[in-house]
Amino acid sequence: MTTSPDRLRIAVQKSGRLSEASLGLLRRAGLAFRASRDHLFLYGENLPIDVLLVRDDDIPGLLVEGSCELGIVGRNVLVEQRLAGGGSAAPEELLPLGFGGCRLSIAIPQSGPVAQASDLDGLRIATSYPALLADWLAREGLAAEVVVLNGSVEIAPRLGKAEAICDLVSSGVTLAANQLRELVPVFHSEAVLALSPLEQTAAKAAQIERLRSRIAGALSGDGARLIMLQAPRTALSEIRRLLPSRDQPSVLSLDGRPDDIAVQALCSSALDWQHLEELKRLGAHGLMVLNVERMLA
Ligand code: ATP
Ligand code: ZN
């Protein structure tokens, strides 16, 4: 599969935990799509960017061979394949995306002899992530045997295949349902935007940077609020202290009112009523909290 010289291709999980959020993010970044008949492809209608719908495990390989320039995939899959690849060219993580959060953790039967990580020495650990697990074991100086299973890892202890497992956990419900308990996290993951290791033409590199920046903008707009108020100049330092802003607020002078200022601050969370009332007690008035729809850094 070769890519067109003037269209970007981004690989996204076809159906699974990351699919909806991945496509939702691309839409919020301003992309509109039309599905192909076979539902393997989404044609970008308003930008020269198409989406390839695939299994998540195929995404690093598609990036390495250059069938896609970009992909949205769990960091766990990306780093597992990078470690397993043993130093060959691997996709790079361009941007963490803030969804699909989970951890690769070692878990053990609730009623077993293992109490701490050092007890794993000499035991068997079943996992679908052998490279990440082996990497962690080496760093911890532990000599456990890695048993590779592709699926249903959580039943390995009951089948007598291993004494512990190393699997992805988010809520822990699946572990509990299998009478397992989490012992220690090995790797923290979330969905990331990944980039092909192949060299790109200048035109494509510019398109990639444009999409990256749009996605970053869509992400930073999530939950962002703009707070606007006016206040006496003397209250500025107290007001600054109360504002949960990401950056220094902008402070503007008001025409013909030398003792007053206008303040604008970008905050990552909403201010509750109590916060607003405290600001008002400091002399602030004309308070407004606005949702931020888009930001471009
Ligand atoms: P595919 O059919 O595409 O191969 P899959 O079964 O391998 O799908 P999913 O279960 O959909 O994959 O998980 C995709 C990604 O979602 C994982 O690689 C991981 O990054 C993330 N994820 C978040 N929470 C969890 C969780 N509790 N269990 C498994 N994966 C999780
Ligand atoms: Zn998969």
Side-chain angles (χ1 to χ4, degrees):
M1 203 182 336
T2 51
T3 52
S4 131
D6 43 36
R7 292 187 75 82
L8 275 192
R9 202 178 273 166
I10 177 162
V12 164
Q13 191 185 25
K14 183 174 166 58
S15 71
R17 292 171 193 264
L18 304 181
S19 312
E20 252 187 62
S22 302
L23 292 177
L25 179 61
L26 293 177
R27 290 201 180 93
R28 277 186 288 127
L31 277 66
F33 305 112
R34 177 168 46 84
S36 70
R37 255 199 210 161
D38 54 13
H39 295 280
L40 296 176
F41 218 78
L42 301 176
Y43 294 100
E45 289 191 304
N46 58 343
L47 289 172
I49 302 174
D50 303 316
V51 177
L52 194 62
L53 299 168
V54 295
R55 288 201 54 191
D56 66 345
D57 316 73
D58 295 337
I59 293 176
L62 289 166
L63 295 172
V64 168
E65 69 187 37
S67 298
C68 295
E69 289 82 14
L70 294 168
I72 295 181
V73 64
R75 183 184 294 132
N76 50 304
V77 172
L78 199 63
V79 178
E80 173 69 22
Q81 295 200 20
R82 180 187 305 150
L83 292 173
S88 48
E92 170 196 340
E93 174 175 332
L94 268 191
L95 190 68
L97 299 176
F99 62 88
C102 59
R103 53 203 184 274
L104 185 66
S105 281
I106 296 185
I108 46 168
Q110 281 163 3
S111 53
V114 177
Q116 56 201 35
S118 57
D119 298 338
L120 295 167
D121 235 348
L123 301 184
R124 294 167 303 167
I125 310 176
T127 189
S128 313
Y129 293 91
L132 279 169
L133 174 58
D135 185 63
W136 181 84
L137 288 169
R139 277 186 281 120
E140 295 291 310
L142 292 171
E145 185 189 336
V146 178
V147 177
V148 184
L149 291 184
N150 292 314
S152 304
V153 168
E154 64 283 352
I155 59 170
R158 265 182 291 158
L159 297 179
K161 289 187 179 174
E163 288 72 39
I165 68 162
C166 178
D167 205 3
L168 294 174
V169 184
S170 43
S171 66
V173 172
T174 313
L175 288 185
N178 287 286
Q179 288 94 50
L180 297 168
R181 79 176 173 87
E182 197 172 344
L183 182 68
V184 56
V186 162
F187 187 78
H188 290 273
S189 184
E190 66 186 291
V192 302
L193 182 67
L195 173 67
S196 165
L198 301 188
E199 200 171 325
Q200 305 295 340
T201 60
K204 272 205 174 162
Q207 279 184 337
I208 290 169
E209 172 47 28
R210 181 164 170 225
L211 183 61
R212 191 206 60 79
S213 143
R214 278 198 179 201
I215 292 176
L219 290 173
S220 59
D222 283 355
R225 305 284 192 284
L226 182 69
I227 294 159
M228 306 205 313
L229 57 84
Q230 295 186 5
R233 198 175 279 277
T234 50
L236 180 59
S237 62
E238 287 281 297
I239 286 176
R240 272 212 174 111
R241 206 175 44 76
L242 269 184
L243 288 173
S245 57
R246 307 179 173 204
D247 311 307
Q248 281 297 321
S250 320
V251 179
L252 315 167
S253 301
L254 293 167
D255 239 4
R257 287 163 54 192
D259 298 334
D260 287 338
I261 45 167
V263 177
Q264 292 185 359
L266 196 60
C267 300
S268 29
S269 58
L271 286 181
D272 56 21
W273 284 111
Q274 198 185 335
H275 238 113
L276 294 181
E277 283 159 8
E278 278 179 57
L279 287 167
K280 196 160 178 197
R281 265 199 293 283
L282 293 173
H285 54 97
L287 285 151
M288 260 191 281
V289 181
L290 308 174
N291 278 329
V292 176
E293 187 158 312
R294 280 190 231 288
M295 290 197 322
L296 202 56

